[in-house]
Amino acid sequence: MEDKYLRRIDFSNKAKRVPICFCIETSASMEVVIDDGGIKTGKKVFVDQREYEIVEGGTTLMDKIHEGLKNFYDAILDDDMACDSCESAIVTFNDKAKLYEGFSSVEEKSVPNFSSLIGGNTNVSSAIRMALDLLSKQKELYK
């Protein structure tokens, strides 16, 4: 991880800062289609000795992630105090953790589309370590 992802703080904003780092899973399982209750949907078929679940339409787990981030950004932007205080970063992970987006104000962000990153397995431990390191560095920057 490089310090180039940390940014200078706007000290004209006197609000206490709150760094938030999202860990977003981008493994292949995030393409699973679910119903409104969060239950997998579809019909299982076997092709070439492998099991597949065929689904037409529906909502994927990644769609839910996008919806959740949009709701978060909207809620922060609707609250002046939170908007002045909150800075967020995003770490994505599948086989490896990657810094997707460094810390910045929610005002400067739009909801990213992670769909092109989907693939691989789930390695959450490296993402959590990276996020904790980023948070620690950002808190030091605030001091």
Side-chain angles (χ1 to χ4, degrees), residues 46-87:
F46 291 92
V47 177
D48 294 333
Q49 315 253 325
R50 294 193 64 190
E51 182 179 290
Y52 296 92
E53 197 163 307
I54 296 177
V55 178
E56 292 180 5
T59 302
T60 65
L61 293 173
M62 187 53 69
D63 292 335
K64 291 293 189 179
I65 294 291
H66 290 137
E67 179 184 334
L69 274 175
K70 181 184 180 320
N71 290 341
F72 172 80
Y73 289 163
D74 288 348
I76 295 297
L77 291 171
D78 283 346
D79 184 310
D80 290 340
M81 187 176 193
C83 195
D84 287 344
S85 301
C86 179
E87 295 184 320

Side-chain angles (χ1 to χ4, degrees), residues 10 13 24-25 27 33 48 61 64-65 80 99 106 111-112 121 128 138:
D10 173 12
N13 175 356
I24 306 292
E25 182 179 357
S27 71
V33 177
D48 294 333
L61 293 173
K64 291 293 189 179
I65 294 291
D80 290 340
L99 180 61
V106 172
V111 178
N121 296 308
I128 291 172
Q138 191 68 9

